[in-house]
Amino acid sequence: MDTMQKSELGFGNTGGSMSNMPSSSLKGKLAAMEEEIKRICNEINLHKKEVEDLRTEKAALEQILQMKTQDVRKTITNEIIRVEEEMKKNFTQQKSENARLQQQIVQLKNEKTELQQTLLGKFRAEMVALQRRIAELEVMVGSEDIH
């Protein structure tokens, strides 16, 4: 046996629980080894229980994580659906508003054209009237010059 095994079993000078027992008798050494084996078995059983507890905890945490992941996915999916519906509604409203504004623009352009034509017509009529008045005044001025 190497030094490590001897010390673990209580055969070395470093001693575990067997250092307290007299190492001269074979029965004492055997009893000490049995005691050490029981202690090691108890430790192994404790470690097995700890591993099992950790596995159970891991499984529970994985289940919680899976439920939270599903919850987050569901929340995000619902939010996406809500946002898409809101965008569709806003798009429809914007489209209606654009059509209404376009109709107003066309109407204003038509009114502008009518006003320009009306003003142009009035301007022409006034020009003709002014030219006639100028002609009349010239005739009057011309007839006064003769007298």
Side-chain angles (χ1 to χ4, degrees), residues 67-93:
M67 289 186 322
K68 286 187 177 188
T69 302
Q70 288 173 352
D71 187 42
V72 167
R73 184 173 289 139
K74 183 178 179 183
T75 301
I76 289 173
T77 302
N78 289 340
E79 184 68 14
I80 288 171
I81 290 170
R82 186 190 66 74
V83 167
E84 285 177 344
E85 288 173 357
E86 190 173 323
M87 283 180 59
K88 286 177 185 175
K89 181 182 124 192
N90 289 339
F91 181 75
T92 302
Q93 287 176 345

Side-chain angles (χ1 to χ4, degrees), residues 39-76:
R39 187 187 65 76
I40 291 171
C41 283
N42 285 339
E43 264 187 55
I44 289 173
N45 287 336
L46 284 174
H47 289 303
K48 283 181 179 178
K49 172 123 177 61
E50 187 177 344
V51 167
E52 186 59 35
D53 289 346
L54 289 172
R55 284 184 180 149
T56 302
E57 186 178 350
K58 177 188 170 232
L61 290 172
E62 285 176 341
Q63 185 177 8
I64 289 170
L65 182 62
Q66 185 178 12
M67 289 186 322
K68 286 187 177 188
T69 302
Q70 288 173 352
D71 187 42
V72 167
R73 184 173 289 139
K74 183 178 179 183
T75 301
I76 289 173

Side-chain angles (χ1 to χ4, degrees), residues 27-45:
K27 270 187 174 183
K29 288 183 182 182
L30 192 56
M33 283 178 62
E34 285 178 356
E35 186 179 312
E36 187 68 16
I37 289 172
K38 284 180 186 176
R39 187 187 65 76
I40 291 171
C41 283
N42 285 339
E43 264 187 55
I44 289 173
N45 287 336

Side-chain angles (χ1 to χ4, degrees), residues 91-103:
F91 181 75
T92 302
Q93 287 176 345
Q94 186 64 49
K95 198 172 179 182
S96 297
E97 182 71 9
N98 290 352
R100 186 181 67 77
L101 290 173
Q102 187 63 38
Q103 185 179 9

